Amino acid sequence: MFSAIARIFRTPDLRRKIAFTLAIIALYRFGAHVPAPFVDFPNVQSCLRQSAGTEGLLSLVNLFSGGALLQLSIFALGVMPYITATIIVQLLRVVIPHFETLYKEGQSGQARLTQYTRYLTIALALLQSTTLVTVARSGQLFGTTGVPECEELLTNTIWWAQLLMIITMTAGTGLIMWFAELVTERGIGNGMSLLIFTSIAAAFPASMWAIWQSRGFEVFLLVLAVGIVVVALVVFVEQSQRRIPVQYAKRMVGRRTYGGTNTYIPIKVNMAGVVPVIFASSLLYIPALIAQFNQPQVGQDVPAWVEWIQLYLVRGDHPLYMALYFLLIVGFTYFYVAITFNPVEVADNMKKYGGFIPGIRAGRPTAEYLDYVLTRITLPGSIYLGLIALLPLIALATVGANQNFPFGGASILIIVGVGLETVKQIDAQLQQRHYEGLLR
């Protein structure tokens, strides 16, 4: 292992790629701490010290931005607009036939889809930055009332000052997108995934230190031990797959023989990744958002439905919230897998190139068999996603941690997934140079 790491730094090309990637990550983290124009930085820092964080979707966005959202920095939106745009474009392939045609065209068509994703990212960044500036001006960004510092986060609330803040945050999102593409082209790994990894990993020390200070050294050690076990389980499940064997018949073209090979279709236990967790968090945040904009005036009674939402659907430590969260994740897992993996298309491609599953006829029976296997294997995958996503909520109810609890939810899934993918890419680079590689 250590000799393989030493070989990485002895390889000039690989060393340059890693150095370039680390430089982009350093710039990204620096921008996360540069405040946007007209932000009262001392007041924001004071509110951060007094507040335990935010709830729901805003907490997820703050986690993906590496804490830049609540600091109202130039990179406040982080990578969330790009993630949302990518998911929307992927879902639109089912609705808009033109998008599906572009996807099947190969590299040129996918380049057009990437361009559409960039345009949609800027539009979403414009919308989200407008919402963020409006919430910051209203003094409800941290959810605290009665604290003067948290109600005066901006030094200037005139329209042109807010417009400049919106333009700055939108430009910050465009710069992050450019950083990610640079890392993908000239660095190691997928650029956007590595920036998400960096944002989440940056919150780990603060979260663990908060647990140590609030609950003591014994609870800190217990959380650390649970975290190691969770990471091991996540690695095991993320690497697990069902391999469906496929055989290709031999074909004679002139004097040459083609085909006759044996391969397999890998179906992962968790094919949906972290997307169902993001969907479920977003959907559960909508009732809290509606209730927040229907608060009564001073001296008036709180409506019964607003009080019910605040009691059951705002804090994540309530059993009803946990149950709804779990069921939504299971449902969205089936929904997303059904969109991204089309058994009929896979069966048609196999039939076109003379492939078949042993014991299964080509065509419709193959599609039905693939659908049967996919449905069966998605059930444990969805339950696994739901249980991992509930870990921060369980920690919120037992250990007293906030919803950015490091060992659970979207954070641990992304960190493990990106870490495994990056190690595989470094290993492939080493093996191209006739080295042993990191993985044996």
Side-chain angles (χ1 to χ4, degrees):
M1 177 69 178
F2 294 106
S3 61
I5 294 175
R7 284 195 296 271
I8 291 173
F9 292 99
R10 284 201 303 265
T11 307
D13 185 34
L14 198 54
R15 186 173 63 240
R16 281 195 299 268
K17 288 184 176 182
I18 292 178
F20 180 80
T21 303
L22 293 177
I24 293 293
I25 288 174
L27 284 174
Y28 173 64
R29 289 306 302 157
F30 174 75
H33 295 281
V34 176
F38 305 107
V39 171
D40 195 331
F41 192 69
N43 282 2
V44 170
Q45 295 301 313
S46 176
C47 290
L48 280 173
R49 287 191 294 269
Q50 297 178 34
S51 174
T54 53
E55 305 290 336
L57 181 63
L58 205 59
S59 174
L60 188 67
V61 177
N62 186 56
L63 176 66
F64 279 9
S65 67
L69 176 77
L70 294 184
Q71 296 189 38
L72 295 174
S73 73
I74 58 174
F75 289 168
L77 302 180
V79 296
M80 205 62 185
Y82 185 84
I83 295 173
T84 309
T86 304
I87 294 173
I88 290 174
V89 170
Q90 196 169 15
L91 294 178
L92 285 178
R93 283 171 40 202
V94 183
V95 182
I96 303 177
H98 177 62
F99 279 27
E100 183 67 23
T101 304
L102 287 176
Y103 179 76
K104 292 180 178 179
E105 281 182 2
Q107 189 174 359
S108 60
Q110 291 181 13
R112 291 283 301 278
L113 287 178
T114 302
Q115 198 67 20
Y116 292 155
T117 305
R118 291 171 185 160
Y119 294 147
L120 186 57
T121 299
I122 298 301
L124 289 173
L126 194 63
L127 178 63
Q128 292 179 14
S129 59
T130 305
T131 305
L132 179 60
V133 171
T134 304
V135 173
R137 186 187 62 179
S138 68
Q140 298 183 358
L141 180 63
F142 293 90
T144 55
T145 55
V147 181
E149 293 87 352
C150 297
E151 295 178 359
E152 299 177 358
L153 299 176
L154 306 182
T155 59
N156 194 341
T157 57
I158 200 168
W159 69 269
W160 58 265
Q162 297 180 46
L163 180 62
L164 183 59
M165 289 183 64
I166 292 169
I167 293 173
T168 302
M169 291 180 180
T170 305
T173 300
L175 190 59
I176 291 171
M177 192 164 50
W178 182 58
F179 282 169
E181 292 181 357
L182 283 178
V183 172
T184 303
E185 292 175 6
R186 300 174 55 186
I188 287 290
N190 182 282
M192 192 58 69
S193 299
L194 281 174
L195 292 185
I196 300 172
F197 176 93
T198 305
S199 300
I200 296 173
F204 264 56
S207 300
M208 297 302 292
W209 178 249
I211 293 173
W212 191 337
Q213 282 189 319
S214 61
R215 307 295 292 184
F217 184 67
E218 293 80 5
V219 176
F220 172 81
L221 285 181
L222 177 62
V223 170
L224 196 60
V226 170
I228 293 173
V229 174
V230 169
V231 169
L233 290 175
V234 170
V235 170
F236 175 75
V237 177
E238 290 295 321
Q239 296 289 84
S240 301
Q241 57 184 224
R242 167 74 184 275
R243 296 181 175 182
I244 299 178
V246 177
Q247 293 182 1
Y248 285 91
K250 292 182 179 180
R251 292 181 300 162
M252 294 293 296
V253 179
R255 294 185 177 183
R256 293 188 177 182
T257 304
Y258 293 92
T261 58
N262 296 331
T263 183
Y264 59 87
I265 301 174
I267 298 182
K268 295 180 64 176
V269 173
N270 178 25
M271 289 191 65
V274 75
V275 175
V277 180
I278 298 174
F279 280 179
S281 300
S282 306
L283 196 61
L284 275 179
Y285 182 64
I286 293 175
L289 187 65
I290 295 173
Q292 184 178 355
F293 284 104
N294 285 273
Q295 294 293 330
Q297 300 294 329
V298 178
Q300 296 181 354
D301 294 332
V302 180
W305 65 273
V306 174
E307 190 174 354
W308 188 88
I309 288 176
Q310 291 177 341
L311 182 62
Y312 296 108
L313 296 181
V314 173
R315 286 190 59 81
D317 55 355
H318 197 279
L320 179 61
Y321 184 96
M322 293 184 183
L324 284 175
Y325 193 37
F326 181 82
L327 293 175
L328 282 173
I329 289 174
V330 172
F332 278 128
T333 302
Y334 274 95
F335 169 73
Y336 191 72
V337 169
I339 287 177
T340 54
F341 188 91
N342 189 349
V344 176
E345 183 180 345
V346 174
D348 289 343
N349 288 335
M350 287 171 53
K351 186 177 180 180
K352 186 187 301 181
Y353 294 103
F356 63 93
I357 299 173
I360 308 294
R361 285 192 302 165
R364 183 177 176 183
T366 299
E368 292 176 350
Y369 177 75
L370 290 174
D371 184 65
Y372 170 77
V373 172
L374 191 65
T375 305
R376 294 285 295 271
I377 205 169
T378 302
L379 178 61
S382 62
I383 294 174
Y384 148 79
L385 270 182
L387 293 177
I388 291 295
L390 285 180
L391 283 179
L393 306 184
I394 296 171
L396 180 69
T398 57
V399 183
N402 59 19
Q403 287 202 10
N404 294 339
F405 180 71
F407 299 111
S411 60
I412 199 68
L413 291 170
I414 291 173
I415 280 186
V416 171
V418 175
L420 288 173
E421 188 61 33
T422 306
V423 167
K424 285 180 181 177
Q425 291 205 19
I426 294 175
D427 185 67
Q429 294 273 348
L430 284 175
Q431 289 182 355
Q432 283 179 4
R433 293 161 178 81
H434 308 291
Y435 288 133
E436 259 186 354
L438 284 169
L439 306 175
R440 297 186 181 181

